Amino acid sequence: MKAAVLFEPKKPLEIRDVTVDKPGPHEVLIRTVACGVCRSDLHFVDGAYPTPLPAIPGHEAAGIVEAVGDEVRTVKVGDAVVTCLSAFCGHCEFCVTGHMSLCISSDTKRPRDAAPRLSLNGEPVNQMLNLSAYAEMMLVHEHACVAIDPEMPLDRAALLGCAVTTGAGAVFNASPVTPGETVCVVGCGGIGLAAVNAAKIAGAGKIIALDPVPEKRALAEKLGATHSFDAMAESTIPEVVELTKGGVHHAIEAVGREASAQTAVKVLRRGGTATILGMMPLGSQVGLSALDLLGSKKLQGGLMGGNRFPVDIPRLVDFYMRGLLDLDTIIADRMPIERINDAFDELRKGDAARSVITFG
Ligand SMILES: [Zn+2]
Ligand SMILES: [Zn+2]
C-alpha cells in the first residue's frame, strides 16, 4: 500500500510501498478514506519531539473496515469508523476509573518479538501514535477506532479523530462549561475552532477567540465566537478581562507555545480554569503566580480533551448531522497523499485552519 514515510527528521516524507500485516485477534484493518494534517505530526516531522524512525505519521483519520481479527466485537467489515490515538486497554487503573485517554498500556500494541504491523522491504516501520494514518490502510487495535453513522461524510469525520475530540473535549470533559459561563480560546487552528464551536453548543455566554491571523478570527466568529482579538496585541488581555467583568471561567490554549499558555492564565477570573491543549516544545514551562493561586485559579493539561472517544465521537457525529457542529468551515483544503509535504508547509506558515489528505 502507498504510505508517507518519515525516514529522518526535518526531511520531507517519502511516498513508499509499505506492507501491512493481517489483523491479529484484537486488530482491525481499515481502508483509510481521509486523514487530517495535525500540528502534532509536525513536531515529530521537524524533530522537536523524538520518535523511533522510520515511521508513518498521521493520526486523525476515518475509513472503512476491511477485515477484523477473530476476537473483535466492537466493529465489523464494512463499518465506517473514526480512529483515535487514545487507544485504551480497558483494564488498567486509568481505564477502569474512566480516564481511558490517559491509558499507556502496551496491550494495544503488538509484542516486541511479534511480526510488525507495518514493514518496508522486510524491515519494520514504526506505527506512530497507534495509527500511522498517512497510508492507504491502517492496522490498529480495536480500541483505537469506533464505528459511526454511515451517513457521515468521512473527510469531515476524520477531524473527529484528533482536533475536534480534543477541542470539544476541553469544553465537554476537561473543563466542563455550564451554560452562560465565559470561554476564551487562544489559537484558532483546528483544535481551537472546535473548542469555539463546542462552547457555542454548550451554551457558553461570551466566547472570545484570540489569534494573530484575521482570517482565522473570522472563522472563529463564524463558528460561534462572540468576540475576537489579535492574540499578539498588548491590549488584548486587559480587553478580555474588562469584557468579561474580571476574566473568563474557562481559558483553552490550542497553540502549544509558552506565551499563549500564559495568556490563557492571564485572562482567567478568580476560580477560573486554564486548560492547555497545545503540544509545547519540550522544556517549556507554564505556571501560576502567588496571586493566581490566592485567586483559586487552576491550570491543567488536557491531553486529547480527556476523551472517552467510543462515546464522544458518535455524539460529535450526531452534532454534525444535526447542523450544530460545523466541520465544513474547519476544513481549509483537501489534497492527495502525494502533497503531504505541501500540507506541512501550509501548517508551518500557520494561516490555514485544517488540511485533509483524502485517498481516492
Ligand atoms: Zn493531532
Ligand atoms: Zn488502560
Side-chain angles (χ1 to χ4, degrees), residues 88-92 94-95 103-105:
F88 61 95
C89 73
H91 49 254
C92 73
F94 292 119
C95 286
C103 177
I104 45 170
S105 166

Side-chain angles (χ1 to χ4, degrees), residues 77-310:
V77 172
D79 278 353
V81 293
V82 172
T83 59
C84 186
L85 67 91
S86 303
F88 61 95
C89 73
H91 49 254
C92 73
E93 181 173 324
F94 292 119
C95 286
V96 299
T97 56
H99 304 286
M100 46 211 282
S101 61
L102 301 179
C103 177
I104 45 170
S105 166
S106 60
D107 291 0
T108 58
K109 303 179 195 314
R110 282 192 175 178
R112 282 191 187 283
D113 53 0
R117 285 177 181 161
L118 303 165
S119 58
L120 178 61
N121 304 327
E123 294 295 319
V125 173
N126 292 284
Q127 185 173 44
M128 267 179 75
L129 300 174
N130 305 308
L131 298 175
S132 281
Y134 294 141
E136 289 176 313
M137 306 289 277
M138 295 178 276
L139 181 60
V140 306
H141 191 273
E142 65 171 318
H143 291 167
C145 68
V146 60
I148 58 163
D149 184 339
E151 299 292 315
M152 178 73 187
L154 291 179
D155 55 348
R156 276 142 278 180
L159 300 193
L160 304 177
C162 180
V164 178
T165 286
T166 302
V171 172
F172 298 145
N173 302 326
S175 187
V177 172
T178 297
E181 286 183 335
T182 48
V183 176
C184 179
V185 176
V186 188
C188 298
I191 293 174
L193 291 173
V196 165
N197 202 178
K200 181 186 173 188
I201 293 169
K206 291 189 175 71
I207 304 169
I208 303 159
L210 307 186
D211 199 283
V213 181
E215 291 78 15
K216 286 162 91 174
R217 295 202 294 274
L219 286 178
E221 293 195 2
K222 191 174 174 206
L223 287 163
T226 57
H227 302 77
S228 71
F229 297 99
D230 180 352
M232 301 297 191
E234 263 179 40
S235 56
T236 290
I237 290 167
E239 273 179 299
V240 174
V241 171
E242 199 193 317
L243 184 66
T244 52
K245 301 190 172 65
V248 298
H249 297 87
H250 308 271
I252 296 165
E253 195 272 359
V255 184
R257 292 207 184 103
E258 270 187 22
S260 51
Q262 289 298 355
T263 298
V265 170
K266 285 178 186 155
V267 297
L268 289 179
R269 70 171 51 217
R270 298 189 100 201
T273 302
T275 303
I276 311 302
L277 300 176
M279 194 168 161
M280 293 198 277
L282 287 170
S284 304
Q285 288 255 341
V286 51
L288 295 172
S289 70
L291 279 178
D292 291 334
L293 291 166
L294 284 171
S296 287
K297 294 180 186 178
K298 298 169 200 75
L299 170 64
Q300 61 177 6
L303 176 68
M304 290 299 290
N307 72 73
R308 297 81 40 96
F309 81 85

